[in-house]
Amino acid sequence: MRSSLRRPRRLERLTVIGGLAAALSLGTVPASAGGVQLQALPGSNLTAAAPATADAPLPDYDKEIVDRFDSANSVNHIRHLAVDIGPRLNGTPQEREGAEYIGGILKSYGFKVTLQQWGPVSTKRVAKVTSSDADLPGGPNWQMAASTSGKFTGDTGVKGQVVDARTGQSATEFPADTEGKIVLMDYSTNATIRNTAVANAVSRGALAVILAYPTGNSAPPSFTLTTPQPGIPVVGGGSAHSTWLRELLAKGALTLTIATNEYANPMGTNVIGIRPAVGDPDGTTAPIVMVGAHIDSVLGAPGAHDDASGNGVSLEVARVLSQYPLDKELRIGGFGGEEGGLLGARAYVNTLTAAEKARFVGEWQMDMVGTPYEPARLWALTPNGQSNYVVQEAYESAARVGFDGLRNCRLGQSDHQAFYDVGIPSSLFIWLDYRPPTPPAVCGPTGGTYVTEPQYHKPTDTMDNISPERLQTTLDVVGGAVAHNALNAVTVSALSDAGQPLVGAQVRADCGNGPRDLGVTGASGKLKAVFPHITCDVSVTAEGATATERGVAISGDRAVKVTVDLTKPTISLTRPADGAVYTLGTATTASYRCEDNLSGIAGCTGTVPDGGPLDTSSVGFHDFTVKAVDNAGNTASRKVTYQVVYPWQAYFPETMSGKAGSAVPIKFSLGGDRGTGVFAPGYPASQQVACDTGKPIGSAEPTRNPGNSKISYGGGQYNYVWKTDKSWSNTCRQLQLKLDDGTGHFATIKLK
């Protein structure tokens, strides 16, 4: 992020990413021409999501993508930019090297990559400082300011041991062996003191001079000398350089190489990666979703947080989204010259045609997105202080991942301003100690103030100024918003077969690698979800019933309607009828059918198949059940009971006369020998009845047999002897024969 010119500054996951593409195309136009020549590279390969390996349902695509973001990958990219390359001042080869690295990574992900040159920009005078015998704190490639008062050595530079001459104002401060050495001295804001120090060093045969702030927390100074010293390089170092050098010297001898260069009116560099939409390989119609970050850092700063962190996040977003076929065009921008006034971003947007600008969904700008500085919080800042589409999508993404720490207010000062100025929704996402205006002032008209971390724009903006946890939060929240918008928006409407919206219905989709949970429908019976370019079966479950729209081709935003059959299937059961009676051994068949005029019958099963034989092999009551299920999962059941009885034939009259105390023979046939246990428990029994009406009197009681006689079988019939009681004289009794088939048979006897 560039400094404000309008107010005083008050300011477990691990994946190794490798590989740098070699050939990148280059176009060049002057910045004054208002454009950048673009030369595209070969296209990319689109890769579908990896198949599911777990038995559990897959999450929705929002969660799946967020789960794949890994800040460890971002840290690897940040380390390469801030440590392996080091400070990346606009217009220097290091800015270009940063662009080439980003472009190579994007190309490996299947993006069409273009390097853009624009400019020229102001002349840059820099010193690259390295060591062959020491690990320099903060990285192997230091950058200092090269003074025009000294010599520009070119890339070869000068190499020598370092001696410390402190202020350099007296001979006593210079070691006896100063000649041929690199002399470290304190930088003074007083020009006379500076001139004296350098002159003293030159007079003692110094190979080169480093003037570094002895205290405080300052960036490398640029300065001139009253008396130029064209014979040796003279460079300015920050206060951290002074501290680090003296700590290294305290441990022993130190050798440095100092290479000073003057880059006169150099060109700045952008890198643009484009992943075309599936149906728009030429990039003329598809909506555009863009993520941006700036490549350059200020003089002397490795720029780990400002803004290698932004590139680390955008590259991880690119890695994950490159695994999905998309119907929206995804662009990743690395802009040079942000610190000089948004130069690269403005040059880039000047190349966009009106039609191209109209295709932009939004631009999410990542700038300083991972400092461990404790007062910093995640902010979405816009040039006018108003929330816009990009900001709102970030809030919704934060809600999906359960992060409630996002806030928005007003600030320009980063590359989002360039997009805002041409009407493209944009926002700066930044971890910053931002202070909103004091009420009643509000963010829109006024905006707030901010305090940056101590490492901001300093040589100490190293990997120590990076928090993997905050990078992960940025990926989850902002990367999640980018991914959500890069996918297709699909609205699923769930309706009953009566045409009513189904609230709280479970929605799932199977896109070829297993079912994934999308959530439940809201009060309108609708659910919004996102999908890549893919074909899916979309299912809705409500009240235990499920309906599926199969082969839904998802290409661009669309709506899907799923009607759920909530009506149970019907069952027609003709045979057996409820209460039907069949004689033992009768041959008869079941007859039934199931019907569903909506989703159709999935299953219709009975105790025996339709047309199959009914069980009449044993007497008694039998249940017969038919169960039906339709293709929506609705079920119905019908149960009837039929009876199987013996082939009964009685050989006794229904009414008879007899003498009380006599034995009455009762003979009957059951169509064969069924054994002697044919009576139901407690039977036979007898009960007194009124002789004139047959109305029961009192309660029934078990019968008795004469002697040891019991029921017997012989000659094709059963014989049972009922012993009447003498006390029943002049009464009428009803003999009750209840069999184990459930039937009852009766005879009334009038006793004398």
Side-chain angles (χ1 to χ4, degrees):
M1 184 180 75
R2 71 187 183 95
S3 302
S4 170
L5 303 179
R6 297 188 294 275
R7 66 166 68 91
R9 286 205 319 229
R10 295 193 303 146
L11 310 187
E12 283 156 82
R13 298 190 250 185
L14 179 62
T15 303
V16 177
I17 297 296
L20 176 63
L24 297 174
S25 61
L26 171 65
T28 303
V29 297
S32 58
V36 177
Q37 181 180 340
L38 305 181
Q39 296 182 14
L41 291 179
S44 60
N45 294 321
L46 301 179
T47 306
T53 57
D55 293 331
L58 295 166
D60 63 29
Y61 280 103
D62 277 320
K63 187 175 190 307
E64 177 179 278
I65 289 173
V66 167
D67 286 347
R68 290 181 174 183
F69 289 143
D70 190 345
S71 67
N73 298 327
S74 297
V75 170
N76 287 341
H77 296 308
I78 296 167
R79 181 176 291 107
H80 184 84
L81 291 167
V83 178
D84 299 340
I85 297 175
R88 302 167 303 284
L89 184 64
N90 177 219
T92 65
Q94 288 75 30
E95 181 187 64
R96 170 78 179 198
E97 188 178 350
E100 290 175 345
Y101 172 76
I102 294 167
I105 296 298
L106 290 174
K107 188 177 181 183
S108 74
Y109 296 157
F111 283 73
K112 296 179 179 179
V113 175
T114 303
L115 291 185
Q116 304 175 345
Q117 279 197 319
W118 45 267
V121 298
S122 61
T123 296
K124 302 298 188 295
R125 301 174 182 90
V126 296
K128 182 176 182 179
V129 180
T130 59
S131 177
S132 59
D133 59 8
D135 291 330
L136 299 182
N141 300 304
W142 284 0
Q143 188 180 72
M144 297 183 184
S147 174
T148 56
S149 304
K151 177 182 179 180
F152 291 105
T153 66
D155 293 339
T156 302
V158 297
K159 181 178 181 179
Q161 287 190 342
V162 180
V163 295
D164 186 356
R166 298 297 174 181
T167 67
Q169 298 302 298
S170 66
T172 59
E173 293 186 295
F174 286 88
D177 59 348
T178 296
E179 185 174 356
K181 304 290 177 62
I182 297 172
V183 180
L184 169 66
M185 296 181 291
D186 295 341
Y187 173 81
S188 173
T189 57
N190 183 294
T192 300
I193 293 175
R194 290 198 305 268
N195 192 73
T196 298
V198 175
N200 287 340
V202 171
S203 69
R204 285 162 177 76
L207 180 67
V209 168
I210 299 174
L211 295 179
Y213 280 104
T215 59
N217 186 16
S218 299
S222 297
F223 57 88
T224 57
L225 299 173
T226 305
T227 303
Q229 302 291 347
I232 64 170
V234 180
V235 303
S239 51
H241 293 139
S242 174
T243 299
W244 291 336
L245 286 172
R246 285 177 169 139
E247 288 175 348
L248 290 170
L249 286 171
K251 297 177 181 178
L254 172 65
T255 301
L256 294 180
T257 297
I258 298 177
T260 52
N261 279 287
E262 180 178 49
Y263 302 106
N265 302 317
M267 303 296 285
T269 306
N270 293 338
V271 58
I272 306 297
I274 297 178
R275 191 166 186 269
V278 172
D280 185 27
D282 296 328
T284 58
T285 59
I288 299 169
V289 173
M290 187 164 193
V291 186
H294 70 85
I295 305 167
D296 63 315
S297 60
V298 298
L299 177 70
H305 190 223
D306 187 15
D307 180 34
S309 65
N311 291 285
V313 167
S314 64
L315 286 174
E316 179 63 358
V317 171
R319 180 188 73 87
V320 174
L321 287 184
S322 70
Q323 301 171 38
Y324 297 85
L326 303 174
D327 289 302
K328 294 187 177 70
E329 183 177 301
L330 179 62
R331 295 190 182 185
I332 305 293
F335 306 114
E338 187 269 354
E339 301 290 2
L342 321 182
L343 302 178
R346 293 194 189 280
Y348 171 68
V349 298
N350 283 341
T351 69
L352 302 176
T353 65
E356 201 171 6
K357 294 172 189 175
R359 292 197 289 129
F360 268 81
V361 175
E363 194 264 352
W364 283 258
Q365 184 68 24
M366 310 286 189
D367 194 348
M368 300 171 60
V369 289
T371 178
Y373 183 53
E374 179 48 38
R377 294 295 179 264
L378 182 58
W379 287 85
L381 303 173
T382 59
N384 65 352
Q386 298 293 318
S387 180
N388 59 20
Y389 181 81
V390 168
V391 173
Q392 189 56 40
E393 286 295 292
Y395 272 113
E396 292 185 11
S397 176
R400 287 193 294 270
V401 298
F403 178 73
D404 62 0
L406 180 66
R407 300 291 182 270
N408 69 287
C409 200
R410 178 177 181 173
L411 191 68
Q413 300 177 216
S414 192
D415 291 326
H416 66 301
Q417 178 81 53
F419 291 86
Y420 170 84
D421 290 344
V422 296
I424 294 173
S426 61
S427 178
L428 163 65
F429 293 93
I430 186 170
W431 283 89
L432 185 66
D433 182 13
Y434 186 93
R435 288 88 182 274
T438 303
V442 294
C443 285
T446 54
T449 58
Y450 61 85
V451 176
T452 58
E453 69 265 25
Q455 295 81 8
Y456 174 69
H457 283 188
K458 303 296 190 303
T460 49
D461 186 9
T462 64
M463 294 304 295
D464 290 338
N465 196 28
I466 291 297
S467 164
E469 293 77 16
R470 286 183 169 178
L471 288 172
Q472 190 65 54
T473 297
T474 306
L475 283 165
D476 294 348
V477 173
V478 189
V482 172
H484 186 84
N485 280 272
L487 298 173
N488 299 314
V490 176
T491 300
V492 179
S493 297
L495 301 173
S496 71
D497 46 14
Q500 297 301 309
L502 294 174
V503 179
Q506 178 69 48
V507 182
R508 286 187 172 183
D510 189 333
C511 303
N513 56 358
R516 61 179 71 238
D517 283 323
L518 303 182
V520 297
T521 56
S524 63
K526 296 181 179 180
L527 175 140
K528 293 183 178 179
V530 290
F531 292 82
H533 178 96
I534 205 163
T535 298
C536 305
D537 295 339
V538 180
S539 301
V540 171
T541 300
E543 300 179 23
T546 300
T548 301
E549 284 292 315
R550 300 193 181 278
V552 177
I554 299 173
S555 177
D557 299 346
R558 62 162 299 174
V560 178
K561 183 174 73 172
V562 182
T563 299
V564 182
D565 173 9
L566 297 180
T567 301
K568 294 182 178 181
T570 60
I571 299 173
S572 299
L573 178 53
T574 304
R575 194 170 47 249
D578 194 27
V581 178
Y582 299 98
T583 301
L584 181 66
T586 299
T588 187
T589 57
S591 176
Y592 58 87
R593 69 177 183 273
C594 306
E595 296 178 309
D596 188 278
N597 294 327
L598 298 170
S599 61
I601 288 295
C604 182
T605 57
T607 303
V608 300
D610 179 41
L614 289 180
D615 180 12
T616 60
S617 62
S618 61
V619 297
F621 294 94
H622 297 255
D623 290 335
F624 192 93
T625 303
V626 178
K627 294 181 179 180
V629 59
D630 63 19
N631 287 312
N634 298 302
T635 61
S637 178
R638 186 174 175 188
K639 178 181 176 182
V640 298
T641 302
Y642 66 95
Q643 186 179 11
V644 178
V645 300
Y646 295 117
W648 167 268
Q649 184 171 354
Y651 297 108
F652 57 89
E654 291 185 8
T655 60
M656 65 183 80
S657 298
K659 182 178 180 180
S662 65
V664 180
I666 302 297
K667 299 179 184 293
F668 59 90
S669 172
L670 299 180
D673 186 357
R674 310 301 179 184
T676 57
V678 295
F679 291 128
Y683 292 90
S686 71
Q687 184 176 21
Q688 184 179 358
V689 297
C691 291
D692 54 349
T693 65
K695 184 177 180 180
I697 299 172
S699 58
E701 57 188 40
T703 59
R704 293 185 295 114
N705 308 108
N708 295 323
S709 67
K710 297 180 180 180
I711 186 172
S712 62
Y713 179 81
Q717 63 182 16
Y718 282 89
N719 184 43
Y720 177 77
V721 179
W722 173 29
K723 181 69 170 68
T724 62
D725 196 285
K726 290 182 178 181
S727 64
W728 296 346
S729 179
N730 298 316
T731 65
C732 291
R733 304 287 295 190
Q734 184 185 67
L735 176 65
Q736 302 173 353
L737 298 179
K738 187 173 183 181
L739 303 180
D740 61 357
D741 66 358
T743 60
H745 306 278
F746 306 92
T748 302
I749 186 169
K750 187 175 182 180
L751 298 166
K752 296 179 181 180

